Amino acid sequence: MNTCKNCNQNFEGNFCNNCGQKASVGKIDYKYILHNLPNSFLQFNRGLLFTIRELTTRPASSIREFIAGKRQNHYQPIAYFILTSALYALVTFMLDKNTFLVDTLSGVIESLAKSDKSRSLEVINFLTKQQTYLGLLFIPLYSLASYFTFRKYKYNYFEHFVLNLYISAHQLLISTIFAVFIPDDSYFVLVAFTTLIIYNCTVLFQFFNSTPSFRKILLLLFTYLIYIVEYFLLIIILVALLSLFS
């Protein structure tokens, strides 16, 4: 006799006869990621509207439940990220608007152009043009930072990866809404960017809910600091590789 991790129903066999979830719902690890990655590009199953609602109204609890094994009704995290990335890229392209990554790096690009740092400029321009695909590279970096700072919670690295995938994917959906309805003005761009940061911090603040508030604020700031260092180290490595093979 099995107990379903999704609906707590007792059942026999390989699938729950109440909700349909598999009996063998294991811990999220590298095998889970590798198994779901190829399927995520063609996922059209149910759960999209449910996932959007959950990540809007109760994101931390919803992601915690998914990691614990309550997964039947959720849209898979990698598939959700790919979908929202594609939607955001399509909308910004059709509306001829800069994405947040371009806006964020515009000052860096201008500085490099003035100082004639052609290699660094080439790498950053590449990052801005390939952001939809490179998101799956940057999220592991941020996950490494959150895994290090919140390691006492005993979530493994791949569970942090799923947590940040859902957060980043929903941020992209929010960004798409902003791109459609908010003017392309510096003030409104700042408001939109601040909203995304607040969403990210709020979800992490609620997800790791047993840590005292002041300590959580420090850990969040430390997480961002580690990620920024990782990000610029990545740029330095890419510049070095570009110089080596060109």
Side-chain angles (χ1 to χ4, degrees):
M1 184 72 68
N2 299 309
T3 301
C4 180
K5 292 184 177 181
N6 185 64
C7 66
N8 296 319
Q9 177 84 12
N10 293 326
F11 68 98
E12 294 182 354
N14 296 323
F15 294 90
C16 174
N17 54 15
N18 183 53
C19 70
Q21 178 162 289
K22 288 182 179 180
S24 58
V25 178
K27 191 176 180 67
I28 292 175
D29 54 14
Y30 75 95
K31 293 180 181 178
Y32 171 85
I33 300 299
L34 291 177
H35 174 74
N36 281 274
L37 183 59
N39 298 329
S40 296
F41 290 93
L42 296 173
Q43 185 190 21
F44 299 103
N45 66 341
R46 64 179 184 176
L48 178 60
L49 294 180
F50 174 83
T51 300
I52 291 173
R53 186 192 70 193
E54 292 289 286
L55 292 177
T56 302
T57 59
R58 49 189 299 274
S61 298
S62 176
I63 298 171
R64 194 184 296 113
E65 290 169 358
F66 181 89
I67 290 174
K70 196 173 183 178
R71 301 172 192 167
Q72 178 65 15
N73 296 325
H74 289 79
Y75 208 73
Q76 290 294 321
I78 298 177
Y80 188 51
F81 179 83
I82 292 172
L83 178 65
T84 55
S85 294
L87 179 63
Y88 181 53
L90 177 64
V91 168
T92 53
F93 174 77
M94 292 180 64
L95 297 178
D96 194 26
K97 288 188 174 184
N98 282 339
T99 62
F100 281 120
L101 180 58
V102 173
D103 288 328
T104 303
L105 294 177
S106 59
V108 178
I109 292 173
E110 290 176 5
S111 299
L112 291 173
K114 291 178 182 178
S115 60
D116 197 30
K117 302 289 185 180
S118 57
R119 291 297 183 194
S120 300
L121 182 61
E122 188 175 342
V123 169
I124 292 180
N125 276 323
F126 172 78
L127 294 179
T128 60
K129 292 175 182 178
Q130 305 296 328
Q131 59 189 302
T132 300
Y133 307 101
L134 288 171
L136 287 172
L137 174 62
F138 294 141
I139 293 172
L141 291 179
Y142 188 77
S143 300
L144 184 63
S146 66
Y147 171 70
F148 178 78
T149 53
F150 291 99
R151 59 190 179 279
K152 81 164 198 172
Y153 280 84
K154 308 301 182 184
Y155 288 106
N156 66 39
Y157 170 77
F158 299 97
E159 290 167 333
H160 277 266
F161 180 61
V162 166
L163 165 66
N164 291 300
L165 261 177
Y166 269 132
I167 293 174
S168 299
H170 205 62
Q171 283 179 310
L172 283 165
L173 182 62
I174 296 171
S175 300
T176 304
I177 296 171
F178 278 129
V180 173
F181 295 105
I182 289 185
D184 202 5
D185 177 85
S186 58
Y187 172 76
F188 290 106
V189 169
L190 179 61
V191 169
F193 187 74
T194 303
T195 301
L196 297 178
I197 296 296
I198 291 173
Y199 178 80
N200 180 73
C201 291
T202 300
V203 177
L204 292 177
F205 204 83
Q206 294 174 353
F207 188 85
F208 302 108
N209 54 7
S210 63
T211 300
S213 297
F214 180 71
R215 177 175 170 78
K216 265 193 291 195
I217 293 172
L218 292 179
L219 289 174
L220 285 173
L221 291 174
F222 192 46
T223 300
Y224 275 109
L225 177 61
I226 294 174
Y227 175 64
I228 290 170
V229 172
E230 291 174 337
Y231 181 81
F232 281 103
L233 282 176
L234 176 63
I235 292 178
I236 291 171
I237 292 171
L238 290 175
V239 170
L241 290 174
L242 186 63
S243 300
L244 181 63
F245 292 105
S246 63

